Amino acid sequence: QVQLVESGGGLAQPGGSLRLSCAASGFSFSGSAMSWYRQTPGKERELVAAIASDGSDSFVVDSVKGRFTISRDNAKNMAYLQMSSLKPEDTAVYLCNAGEWHNRNYYTGDYWGQGTRVTVSS
């Protein structure tokens, strides 16, 4: 069955860095676009970054531009989110998603991981 397992979250100080990982199995990883979302209590799940299936194109949302980078390793069925210059407002549960990529738009897929919690605090 489809599995997405996130890891790498934890406590970071403002200005610090974390690298999140998403291990994928049970579907064609190299044929799927991947993304990272984040969710905080009382707010809608927010798309943070997405990457095309072959890694040739990607984007991050404006609130994390210049600080977060999405990448993938199709040989290992892994997706990553490198987060730097972290801010308290980046505190959230981060989830990966497998979806589709068309004309530089990401379309959310049906499968989600359990998420990994990131807390940015001094």
Side-chain angles (χ1 to χ4, degrees), residues 8-112:
L11 176 64
Q13 291 192 339
S17 298
L18 285 172
R19 188 195 194 205
L20 306 184
S21 298
C22 173
S25 61
F27 66 100
S28 174
F29 181 78
S30 61
S32 300
M34 295 296 297
S35 66
W36 286 93
Y37 283 72
R38 64 186 179 187
Q39 188 158 30
T40 55
K43 291 188 177 181
E44 285 192 11
R45 197 168 285 183
E46 173 192 22
L47 177 65
V48 175
I51 188 166
S53 59
D54 62 358
S56 62
D57 200 4
S58 65
F59 67 81
V60 298
V61 296
D62 286 346
S63 59
V64 305
K65 196 163 289 184
R67 302 189 297 120
F68 290 12
T69 303
I70 187 171
S71 63
R72 64 189 296 157
D73 185 338
N74 283 356
K76 296 181 178 179
N77 283 9
M78 297 289 294
Y80 305 98
L81 185 68
Q82 178 67 47
M83 306 187 297
S84 59
S85 302
L86 284 163
K87 303 176 181 180
E89 52 263 43
D90 295 320
T91 296
V93 174
Y94 285 73
L95 307 101
C96 64
N97 177 266
E100 297 185 9
W101 183 278
H102 298 291
N103 295 325
R104 226 168 176 264
N105 291 309
Y106 180 79
Y107 295 88
T108 309
D110 294 332
Y111 299 102
W112 298 91

